[in-house]
Amino acid sequence: TVVLPVGEELDFNQRGPKSVLAAFESHTISGIPFYQSVESKFPKNERPIGAGLGYSKFISFNKESNNLNGAIFVVTTRNLSKDQQHYGLYHNTPVEGIDSILDKVIQEANEQKIESISVPLLGTGYANIAVTHNNKLLKAKLDKIVALISMQKFEEALKNKTSKLKRAIIVVYSNNHYSAEEAAIWKDIVKFAAKSKEEQITDIKNEIKQFQEAAEQSS
């Protein structure tokens, strides 16, 4: 099961060219284009109006071209406008909001008895584009923070005996494969995984503080 971020209006047509949603445009479900099928399974009149941050909806698939059994669509951004060029942008989805989004995704996965899940770095794309746009340093810092928070969240879920989850994959998108930036986040993740929970919490707090300070300076 994949997790796909959407804006508060759950408008599947309002997706940016580099968004996670766009990556699924070539997929089909029972021979029908991916989003055409999703629209029929979850029509506009059944979607909430102005859904809150973290609202999650699981949609099951039958005969999906890449063998996906379904997707959890989760609200990560506010819709700035209906204009196609805005792609549901929001100025700044706070880290606390991203933390809550991950909790809601795990809750939905458990309610749907999903055993295996694949999650992108939620909140690092269009949800924070006004903060990180054209700032590679800030984008890298935010990617790192969300990767570490995601690791911690899913590690706890996998250890929880009442949780249905048995496997969680975190997908980190890279513009430059085998680059120094890619190597850096991999190194940070490996070091983080070896630390105790207390050390991990301290690391995340420090990273958030540094990110907020850097964001204030750049603005």
Side-chain angles (χ1 to χ4, degrees):
T1 300
V2 293
V3 177
L4 302 179
V6 290
E8 65 179 341
E9 299 300 328
L10 284 92
D11 182 356
F12 304 117
N13 291 317
Q14 198 176 113
R15 51 186 180 266
K18 292 185 178 180
S19 68
V20 176
L21 291 177
F24 290 80
E25 289 177 341
S26 62
H27 291 217
T28 59
I29 301 170
S30 296
I32 301 170
F34 190 87
Y35 287 107
Q36 185 179 328
S37 178
V38 170
E39 291 277 356
S40 67
K41 289 173 176 290
F42 192 30
K44 197 167 186 177
N45 65 335
E46 293 182 11
R47 300 174 211 162
I49 298 172
L53 202 66
Y55 171 87
S56 300
K57 171 72 175 180
F58 172 73
I59 299 175
S60 62
F61 300 151
N62 183 35
K63 297 180 181 178
E64 202 275 340
S65 57
N66 282 54
N67 297 318
L68 303 176
N69 71 338
I72 295 175
F73 290 90
V74 58
V75 172
T76 60
T77 72
R78 293 280 181 87
N79 285 57
L80 187 64
S81 77
K82 295 292 184 182
D83 194 319
Q84 179 71 16
Q85 69 176 349
H86 287 144
Y87 307 117
L89 308 186
Y90 189 46
H91 282 222
N92 178 15
T93 298
V95 175
E96 293 86 355
I98 296 171
D99 188 88
S100 176
I101 288 166
L102 285 164
D103 285 338
K104 297 288 181 63
V105 166
I106 291 170
Q107 180 182 336
E108 180 71 7
N110 279 321
E111 288 178 0
Q112 299 297 334
K113 298 180 180 179
I114 292 168
E115 294 187 353
S116 182
I117 198 168
S118 177
V119 190
L121 297 183
L122 298 171
T124 62
Y126 291 118
N128 268 300
I129 198 169
V131 180
T132 61
H133 184 58
N134 287 334
N135 191 322
K136 289 185 177 180
L137 178 61
L138 273 181
K139 180 66 168 64
K141 282 182 175 293
L142 185 60
D143 283 357
K144 179 180 177 180
I145 288 168
V146 178
L148 301 187
I149 292 174
S150 299
M151 281 184 65
Q152 189 183 65
K153 291 280 184 184
F154 285 107
E155 186 176 13
E156 289 177 1
L158 293 169
K159 286 180 178 178
N160 187 342
K161 292 182 179 179
T162 64
S163 174
K164 303 299 179 183
L165 277 174
K166 291 182 172 59
R167 183 174 67 154
I169 298 170
I170 299 169
V171 181
V172 182
Y173 176 79
S174 173
N175 278 311
N176 301 303
H177 297 308
Y178 310 112
S179 63
E181 292 82 3
E182 196 175 67
I185 194 167
W186 175 247
K187 182 179 178 181
D188 290 333
I189 285 171
V190 171
K191 287 171 63 179
F192 183 81
K195 294 183 178 182
S196 67
K197 183 177 179 180
E198 291 73 21
E199 290 174 322
Q200 289 179 347
I201 290 172
T202 299
D203 277 4
I204 289 172
K205 286 181 177 179
N206 289 336
E207 292 291 340
I208 292 172
K209 183 180 178 182
Q210 291 173 23
F211 173 76
Q212 291 171 337
E213 289 173 350
E216 288 174 5
Q217 290 175 5
S218 67
S219 62

